[in-house]
Amino acid sequence: MDVKEVLDKYGNSPGRLLGAMLEYQRSKPQNYLTEEEIKAFAKETGLPVSRVYSLVTFYSLFSEVPRGKYIVQVCHDVPCHVNGSVNVVAELEKLLGIKMGETTDDGLFTLEYTSCIGCCEMAPAMQIGETVYGNLTPEKIASIIEELRRAGK
Amino acid sequence: MSKKEKKLLTARFGNISPDSIDDYIKTGGYASLKKALGMAPDAIIAEVKASGLRGRGGAGFPTGIKMESVRRATGSPKYVVCNADEGEPGNFKDRYLMEKDPHQLIEGMIISAFAVGADYGAIFVRGEYIKAIKILDNAIKQARGAGFLGKNILGTGFDFDMDVYSGAGSYVCGEEFALLAALEGKPARSIFKPPYPTTEGLNGKPTQINNVETFANIPHIIDMGGAAYAAFGSETSTGTKLISLSGNVNRPGLYEVTYDITLREIIEELGGGVPGGRAIKMVQLGGPSGPIIPPSLLDLKIDANEMRAYNLSIASGAVIVIDDRADTLDILMRIMEFFHHESCGKCTPCREGLGQVLGLLDKLVDGRATDAELELLRNLLDVMSQASLCGLGQAAPTAIKSILQYFGDELYGRIGAAKEVK
Ligand SMILES: Cc1cc2nc3c(=O)[nH]c(=O)nc-3n(C[C@H](O)[C@H](O)[C@H](O)COP(=O)(O)O)c2cc1C
Ligand code: SF4
Ligand code: FES
């Protein structure tokens, strides 16, 4: 998908730019926006580059640095916190061999915190791409990661 | 099902496919729209006023009065905007409403648009809710195909259309002025007010902005009539409320209840109590911006009148149960880190205040805080709630303030600890 295509799909208005850029970013294997791409969005929408940059830096789902193919976002707000999100993070760090905020050497996984993803009834929860995983246990986490490792290779 | 559970907004959940407009229509969907289009706009607003419906997004402003202001406002075009940002941790009711019965929301927005005289609508959904966005996109297409959206709706001459807008990760986006900025393709920062959105909202035009649950109530009010809707409830709280129950509880989940239910009934009867036979230590209402209360207050009904006496409200309906294993300061740190991360940085009390609060909490955690610093913390919280530009900074101190009120010993106790260390 190129910049023009995604903007056409979203109707090329400033208000729908957030959605368009998010979908574009998700379609890329490294889940980030380059300077050229940000400029391309500005050019196609007719907005100043500074304005498009202000969106990329303000909204936390955008990244200007390359990330893994799978962004593992762990919720750590109170409902997840009191249901042991700390253990989820520890388990993921152990399995992936990276710390929070880092990307695995093979470029498959990035580990991030997220604010509540509205799945508190399944706490502790995490989101990877479009999929939400809840009621996490060490076994469940291991099988999710295992499956993605196989699929992502 | 408990006596105090009542399925109005959730009646179709699981019984229809959210991808099928036919399912929705077969279960009575869009009948209210047809009825409303045969009514005078003022009569629709009169029903909403008679229903006593109050906004379900947290602040509880009377919806009928909001609609009336938009209808009376001069300026065109007019807009209806649905706040589906749902970023307050502990809340998930709007996700359910959008994922399980999207047409109920859409129908509520079309009826509102007809009543206030709007010709375009926007549903602003947080960027994390990818599934809800897809379901709504599809539902809007179907509604357009069926003639419920677009030009000359159902042959009445009324034109109205709407789209879904995605956020991209920002809690403050849920604040209505910030949300309007986001809809205009800008960073989500609030502004000085008044004017309010009812006169100068999206693109500077009159705008009705309401929560998902608020709009979802509208078809039911038109269907049964405002007075019948007001009949289940009290003078101060009418209709049903969706409760997002989470935390240390056996059956977390979404419950639709009437306002005569108590917090204890929600936790014990619907939620099955705390796992492992442990005790409730505290309960947070609404989310991080809400108060944290002790078990002794759990016999309060969620009715606005009853809760107001304790300066409380059920707000958006999140009930977060925290059991006796929790460390109070640990919970407070988590909450304040959340606000610190989400502050938009526009005004000083919030931007700088939150950093200072975290520093003071840190000192409390490892027993370095002095009495004077705890006083400083209290002052700082007052400044934040009084001088912050928007609701984020104004409400951020609520959790700590309620801890000081109900669990003060836990914080003052930490000062004692510091003295012992010395
Ligand atoms: C920081 C902040 C976040 C908010 N987040 C939301 C939200 O996610 N959803 C919502 O409906 N209202 C939210 N609100 C309240 C809105 O500003 C506004 O009051 C509400 O959308 C009005 O709709 P209602 O009258 O139907 O409740 C938030 C307010 C603040 C200050
Ligand atoms: S109170 Fe906080 S979030 Fe609101 S405008 Fe000020 S800095 Fe931004
Ligand atoms: S608190 Fe973790 S999903 Fe809501």
Side-chain angles (χ1 to χ4, degrees), chain B residues 18-285:
Chain B
D19 298 322
S20 161
I21 191 171
D22 293 334
D23 280 10
Y24 183 69
I25 293 171
K26 267 186 227 146
T27 48
Y30 288 111
S32 294
L33 174 63
K34 288 178 188 153
K35 184 172 172 186
L37 291 177
M39 293 165 67
D42 282 328
I44 297 174
I45 293 174
E47 291 300 333
V48 178
K49 280 169 98 176
S51 77
L53 177 66
R54 285 173 175 268
R56 305 295 199 232
F61 189 82
T63 308
I65 294 180
K66 195 181 270 188
M67 291 173 76
E68 189 164 59
S69 324
V70 179
R71 169 139 194 95
R72 290 217 182 117
T74 51
S76 76
K78 291 179 182 174
Y79 300 105
V80 289
V81 170
C82 174
N83 188 341
D85 196 53
E86 192 162 67
E88 182 94 11
N91 288 277
F92 43 86
K93 67 187 179 73
D94 296 340
R95 176 172 66 83
Y96 272 86
L97 286 169
M98 293 186 281
E99 289 184 1
K100 304 226 177 252
D101 194 357
H103 286 285
Q104 177 173 247
L105 163 63
I106 293 168
E107 185 176 8
M109 288 180 69
I110 307 174
I111 296 171
S112 300
F114 180 67
V116 303
D119 52 25
Y120 186 70
I123 307 177
F124 188 90
V125 189
R126 61 186 301 212
E128 290 86 347
Y129 280 5
I130 303 169
K131 185 175 171 192
I133 291 174
K134 287 188 173 159
I135 289 175
L136 285 169
D137 257 332
N138 176 57
I140 288 174
K141 280 200 193 87
Q142 291 178 340
R144 219 175 264 141
F148 299 126
L149 284 172
K151 293 255 174 261
N152 191 17
I153 294 172
L154 300 175
T156 56
F158 169 52
D159 302 338
F160 175 72
D161 213 332
M162 63 163 83
D163 288 297
V164 181
Y165 290 74
S166 168
S170 159
Y171 160 72
V172 71
C173 237
E175 196 268 349
E176 55 190 16
F177 293 89
L179 184 134
L180 293 172
L183 271 178
E184 293 169 7
K186 299 173 189 155
R189 290 200 179 89
S190 195
I191 50 166
F192 288 99
K193 54 218 89 160
Y196 290 98
T198 46
T199 50
E200 289 182 37
L202 185 59
N203 302 323
K205 302 295 180 188
T207 302
Q208 178 192 347
I209 171 163
N210 277 113
N211 174 255
V212 176
E213 186 183 348
T214 313
F215 278 120
N217 271 291
I218 302 283
H220 300 282
I221 291 169
I222 297 304
D223 174 46
M224 67 178 78
Y229 180 94
F232 50 97
S234 71
E235 220 162 89
T236 42
S237 294
T238 60
T240 62
K241 181 75 200 84
L242 297 183
I243 300 290
S244 309
L245 179 62
S246 71
N248 300 125
V249 53
N250 277 312
R251 290 191 296 272
L254 185 77
Y255 296 96
E256 184 170 11
V257 301
T258 45
Y259 282 91
D260 54 348
I261 197 165
T262 67
L263 291 165
R264 196 179 302 282
E265 286 168 331
I266 290 174
I267 296 167
E268 301 290 346
E269 287 174 28
L270 305 183
V274 179
R278 289 185 297 269
I280 300 173
K281 177 166 186 174
M282 45 183 64
V283 173
Q284 188 165 31
L285 300 177

Side-chain angles (χ1 to χ4, degrees), chain B residues 172 343-347 350 388-390 392-393:
Chain B
V172 71
S343 166
C344 86
K346 182 167 177 169
C347 68
C350 169
S388 292
L389 177 61
C390 87
L392 188 148

Side-chain angles (χ1 to χ4, degrees), chain A residues 35-93:
Chain A
E35 189 177 329
E36 288 71 44
E37 288 161 339
I38 295 170
K39 286 181 176 156
F41 273 107
K43 185 158 170 269
E44 291 297 332
T45 51
L47 293 170
V49 177
S50 59
R51 166 89 168 266
V52 181
Y53 252 105
S54 74
L55 300 178
V56 173
T57 53
F58 185 89
Y59 293 95
S60 65
L61 295 181
F62 295 117
S63 175
E64 289 176 85
V65 293
R67 292 184 292 177
K69 175 167 182 172
Y70 301 112
I71 315 282
V72 182
Q73 296 178 301
V74 186
C75 170
H76 64 153
D77 283 317
V78 171
C80 283
H81 183 76
V82 299
N83 279 295
S85 55
V86 184
N87 306 332
V88 173
V89 174
E91 193 63 26
L92 282 164
E93 288 186 335

